[in-house]
CSV table of all heavy atoms in Angstrom, one decimal:
chain,number,residue,atom,x,y,z
Z,1,LEU,N,-5.5,6.0,3.5
Z,1,LEU,CA,-4.4,6.3,4.4
Z,1,LEU,C,-3.1,6.6,3.7
Z,1,LEU,O,-2.5,7.6,3.9
Z,1,LEU,CB,-4.2,5.1,5.3
Z,1,LEU,CG,-3.1,5.1,6.3
Z,1,LEU,CD1,-3.3,6.2,7.3
Z,1,LEU,CD2,-2.9,3.8,7.0
Z,2,MET,N,-2.8,5.8,2.7
Z,2,MET,CA,-1.6,6.0,2.0
Z,2,MET,C,-1.6,7.3,1.2
Z,2,MET,O,-0.6,8.0,1.1
Z,2,MET,CB,-1.3,4.8,1.0
Z,2,MET,CG,-0.9,3.5,1.7
Z,2,MET,SD,0.6,3.7,2.7
Z,2,MET,CE,-0.1,3.7,4.3
Z,3,ARG,N,-2.7,7.7,0.6
Z,3,ARG,CA,-2.8,8.9,-0.1
Z,3,ARG,C,-2.7,10.1,0.8
Z,3,ARG,O,-2.0,11.1,0.4
Z,3,ARG,CB,-4.2,9.0,-0.9
Z,3,ARG,CG,-4.2,8.0,-2.1
Z,3,ARG,CD,-5.5,8.0,-2.8
Z,3,ARG,NE,-5.4,7.1,-4.0
Z,3,ARG,CZ,-6.5,6.7,-4.7
Z,3,ARG,NH1,-7.7,7.1,-4.3
Z,3,ARG,NH2,-6.3,6.0,-5.8
Z,4,GLY,N,-3.3,10.1,1.9
Z,4,GLY,CA,-3.1,11.1,2.9
Z,4,GLY,C,-1.7,11.3,3.4
Z,4,GLY,O,-1.1,12.4,3.5
Z,5,MET,N,-1.0,10.2,3.7
Z,5,MET,CA,0.4,10.2,4.1
Z,5,MET,C,1.3,10.6,3.0
Z,5,MET,O,2.3,11.2,3.2
Z,5,MET,CB,0.7,8.8,4.7
Z,5,MET,CG,-0.1,8.5,5.9
Z,5,MET,SD,0.5,7.0,6.8
Z,5,MET,CE,1.8,7.7,7.9
Z,6,ALA,N,0.9,10.3,1.8
Z,6,ALA,CA,1.8,10.7,0.6
Z,6,ALA,C,1.8,12.2,0.6
Z,6,ALA,O,2.9,12.8,0.3
Z,6,ALA,CB,1.2,10.1,-0.7
Z,7,ARG,N,0.7,12.9,0.8
Z,7,ARG,CA,0.7,14.3,0.8
Z,7,ARG,C,1.5,14.9,2.0
Z,7,ARG,O,2.2,15.9,1.9
Z,7,ARG,CB,-0.7,14.8,0.9
Z,7,ARG,CG,-1.6,14.5,-0.3
Z,7,ARG,CD,-3.0,15.1,-0.2
Z,7,ARG,NE,-3.8,14.7,-1.3
Z,7,ARG,CZ,-3.9,15.2,-2.5
Z,7,ARG,NH1,-3.1,16.2,-2.8
Z,7,ARG,NH2,-4.7,14.7,-3.4
Z,8,ALA,N,1.3,14.2,3.2
Z,8,ALA,CA,1.9,14.7,4.4
Z,8,ALA,C,3.5,14.7,4.4
Z,8,ALA,O,4.1,15.6,4.9
Z,8,ALA,CB,1.4,14.0,5.6
Z,9,TYR,N,4.0,13.7,3.7
Z,9,TYR,CA,5.5,13.5,3.7
Z,9,TYR,C,6.1,13.8,2.3
Z,9,TYR,O,7.3,13.5,2.2
Z,9,TYR,CB,5.8,12.1,4.2
Z,9,TYR,CG,5.6,11.8,5.6
Z,9,TYR,CD1,4.4,11.3,6.1
Z,9,TYR,CD2,6.5,12.2,6.6
Z,9,TYR,CE1,4.2,11.1,7.5
Z,9,TYR,CE2,6.3,12.0,7.9
Z,9,TYR,CZ,5.1,11.4,8.4
Z,9,TYR,OH,4.9,11.2,9.7
Z,10,ALA,N,5.4,14.3,1.4
Z,10,ALA,CA,6.0,14.6,0.1
Z,10,ALA,C,7.2,15.5,0.2
Z,10,ALA,O,8.1,15.3,-0.6
Z,10,ALA,CB,4.9,15.1,-0.8
Z,11,GLY,N,7.1,16.5,1.0
Z,11,GLY,CA,8.2,17.4,1.2
Z,11,GLY,C,9.5,16.8,1.7
Z,11,GLY,O,10.6,17.4,1.5
Z,12,ASP,N,9.4,15.6,2.3
Z,12,ASP,CA,10.6,14.9,2.8
Z,12,ASP,C,11.0,13.9,1.8
Z,12,ASP,O,11.9,13.1,2.1
Z,12,ASP,CB,10.2,14.3,4.1
Z,12,ASP,CG,9.8,15.3,5.1
Z,12,ASP,OD1,10.7,16.1,5.5
Z,12,ASP,OD2,8.6,15.3,5.6
Z,13,LYS,N,10.4,13.9,0.6
Z,13,LYS,CA,10.8,12.9,-0.5
Z,13,LYS,C,10.5,11.4,0.0
Z,13,LYS,O,11.3,10.5,-0.4
Z,13,LYS,CB,12.2,13.1,-0.9
Z,13,LYS,CG,12.5,14.5,-1.5
Z,13,LYS,CD,11.6,14.7,-2.8
Z,13,LYS,CE,11.9,16.0,-3.4
Z,13,LYS,NZ,11.5,17.2,-2.6
Z,14,ILE,N,9.5,11.3,0.8
Z,14,ILE,CA,9.1,9.9,1.2
Z,14,ILE,C,7.8,9.6,0.5
Z,14,ILE,O,6.8,10.3,0.6
Z,14,ILE,CB,8.9,9.9,2.8
Z,14,ILE,CG1,10.1,10.3,3.5
Z,14,ILE,CG2,8.4,8.5,3.2
Z,14,ILE,CD1,9.9,10.6,5.0
Z,15,THR,N,7.8,8.6,-0.3
Z,15,THR,CA,6.7,8.2,-1.1
Z,15,THR,C,5.9,7.1,-0.4
Z,15,THR,O,6.4,6.2,0.3
Z,15,THR,CB,7.1,7.8,-2.5
Z,15,THR,OG1,7.8,6.6,-2.5
Z,15,THR,CG2,7.8,8.9,-3.2
Z,16,PHE,N,4.6,7.1,-0.7
Z,16,PHE,CA,3.6,6.1,-0.1
Z,16,PHE,C,2.8,5.6,-1.3
Z,16,PHE,O,2.1,6.4,-2.0
Z,16,PHE,CB,2.7,6.8,0.9
Z,16,PHE,CG,3.3,7.1,2.2
Z,16,PHE,CD1,4.1,8.3,2.3
Z,16,PHE,CD2,3.2,6.3,3.3
Z,16,PHE,CE1,4.7,8.6,3.5
Z,16,PHE,CE2,3.8,6.6,4.5
Z,16,PHE,CZ,4.6,7.8,4.6
Z,17,ASN,N,2.9,4.3,-1.6
Z,17,ASN,CA,2.2,3.7,-2.6
Z,17,ASN,C,1.6,2.4,-2.1
Z,17,ASN,O,2.0,1.9,-1.1
Z,17,ASN,CB,3.1,3.5,-3.8
Z,17,ASN,CG,3.5,4.8,-4.5
Z,17,ASN,OD1,2.7,5.5,-5.1
Z,17,ASN,ND2,4.8,5.1,-4.4
Z,18,ALA,N,0.7,1.8,-2.9
Z,18,ALA,CA,0.1,0.5,-2.5
Z,18,ALA,C,0.0,-0.4,-3.7
Z,18,ALA,O,0.0,0.0,-4.9
Z,18,ALA,CB,-1.3,0.8,-2.0
Z,19,VAL,N,0.0,-1.7,-3.4
Z,19,VAL,CA,-0.2,-2.7,-4.4
Z,19,VAL,C,-1.5,-3.4,-4.1
Z,19,VAL,O,-1.8,-3.8,-3.0
Z,19,VAL,CB,1.0,-3.8,-4.3
Z,19,VAL,CG1,0.7,-4.9,-5.3
Z,19,VAL,CG2,2.3,-3.1,-4.7
Z,20,ALA,N,-2.3,-3.6,-5.1
Z,20,ALA,CA,-3.6,-4.3,-5.0
Z,20,ALA,C,-3.6,-5.6,-5.7
Z,20,ALA,O,-3.8,-5.6,-7.0
Z,20,ALA,CB,-4.7,-3.4,-5.6
Z,21,PRO,N,-3.4,-6.7,-5.0
Z,21,PRO,CA,-3.4,-8.0,-5.7
Z,21,PRO,C,-4.8,-8.5,-6.0
Z,21,PRO,O,-5.7,-8.1,-5.4
Z,21,PRO,CB,-2.7,-8.9,-4.7
Z,21,PRO,CG,-2.2,-8.0,-3.6
Z,21,PRO,CD,-3.0,-6.8,-3.6
Z,22,GLY,N,-4.9,-9.3,-7.0
Z,22,GLY,CA,-6.1,-10.0,-7.3
Z,22,GLY,C,-6.0,-11.4,-6.7
Z,22,GLY,O,-5.8,-11.5,-5.5
Z,23,ALA,N,-6.2,-12.4,-7.5
Z,23,ALA,CA,-6.3,-13.8,-7.0
Z,23,ALA,C,-4.8,-14.3,-7.0
Z,23,ALA,O,-4.2,-14.6,-8.0
Z,23,ALA,CB,-7.1,-14.7,-7.9
Z,24,ILE,N,-4.3,-14.4,-5.8
Z,24,ILE,CA,-2.9,-14.9,-5.6
Z,24,ILE,C,-3.1,-16.3,-4.9
Z,24,ILE,O,-3.9,-16.4,-4.0
Z,24,ILE,CB,-2.1,-14.0,-4.7
Z,24,ILE,CG1,-2.2,-12.5,-5.3
Z,24,ILE,CG2,-0.7,-14.5,-4.7
Z,24,ILE,CD1,-1.7,-12.4,-6.7
Z,25,ASP,N,-2.3,-17.2,-5.4
Z,25,ASP,CA,-2.4,-18.6,-4.9
Z,25,ASP,C,-1.8,-18.8,-3.5
Z,25,ASP,O,-0.6,-19.2,-3.4
Z,25,ASP,CB,-1.8,-19.6,-5.9
Z,25,ASP,CG,-2.1,-21.0,-5.6
Z,25,ASP,OD1,-3.0,-21.3,-4.7
Z,25,ASP,OD2,-1.6,-21.9,-6.3
Z,26,THR,N,-2.5,-18.3,-2.5
Z,26,THR,CA,-2.1,-18.5,-1.1
Z,26,THR,C,-3.2,-19.1,-0.3
Z,26,THR,O,-4.3,-19.2,-0.7
Z,26,THR,CB,-1.8,-17.1,-0.5
Z,26,THR,OG1,-3.0,-16.3,-0.4
Z,26,THR,CG2,-0.8,-16.3,-1.4
Z,27,GLU,N,-2.8,-19.6,0.9
Z,27,GLU,CA,-3.8,-20.2,1.8
Z,27,GLU,C,-4.8,-19.1,2.2
Z,27,GLU,O,-6.0,-19.5,2.3
Z,27,GLU,CB,-3.0,-20.7,3.1
Z,27,GLU,CG,-4.0,-21.4,4.0
Z,27,GLU,CD,-3.2,-22.0,5.2
Z,27,GLU,OE1,-2.0,-22.0,5.2
Z,27,GLU,OE2,-3.9,-22.4,6.2
Z,28,MET,N,-4.4,-17.9,2.4
Z,28,MET,CA,-5.4,-16.9,2.7
Z,28,MET,C,-6.5,-16.7,1.7
Z,28,MET,O,-7.7,-16.5,1.9
Z,28,MET,CB,-4.7,-15.5,2.9
Z,28,MET,CG,-5.7,-14.4,3.3
Z,28,MET,SD,-4.9,-12.8,3.5
Z,28,MET,CE,-4.1,-13.0,5.1
Z,29,MET,N,-6.1,-16.9,0.4
Z,29,MET,CA,-7.0,-16.7,-0.7
Z,29,MET,C,-7.9,-17.9,-0.8
Z,29,MET,O,-9.1,-17.8,-1.0
Z,29,MET,CB,-6.2,-16.6,-2.0
Z,29,MET,CG,-7.1,-16.5,-3.3
Z,29,MET,SD,-8.0,-15.0,-3.4
Z,29,MET,CE,-9.2,-15.4,-4.7
Z,30,THR,N,-7.4,-19.1,-0.7
Z,30,THR,CA,-8.2,-20.3,-1.0
Z,30,THR,C,-8.9,-21.0,0.2
Z,30,THR,O,-9.7,-21.8,0.1
Z,30,THR,CB,-7.3,-21.4,-1.6
Z,30,THR,OG1,-6.2,-21.7,-0.8
Z,30,THR,CG2,-6.7,-20.8,-2.9
Z,31,ASP,N,-8.4,-20.6,1.4
Z,31,ASP,CA,-9.0,-21.2,2.6
Z,31,ASP,C,-10.5,-21.1,2.7
Z,31,ASP,O,-11.0,-19.9,2.6
Z,31,ASP,CB,-8.3,-20.6,3.9
Z,31,ASP,CG,-8.8,-21.4,5.2
Z,31,ASP,OD1,-8.9,-22.6,5.1
Z,31,ASP,OD2,-9.0,-20.7,6.2
């Protein structure tokens, strides 16, 4: 999704990027 939207809005200088976390010490991770 982000890659497709990055192409669609590139002409407007709107960037789309993503962060891919690994093991982060949160309840969602450890529950």
Side-chain angles (χ1 to χ4, degrees):
L1 177 65
M2 290 299 105
R3 287 175 174 169
M5 297 187 84
R7 294 182 188 279
Y9 287 97
D12 300 293
K13 300 298 184 290
I14 303 168
T15 64
F16 289 77
N17 293 291
V19 174
I24 309 300
D25 192 5
T26 66
E27 185 177 348
M28 179 182 285
M29 176 70 196
T30 60
D31 185 42

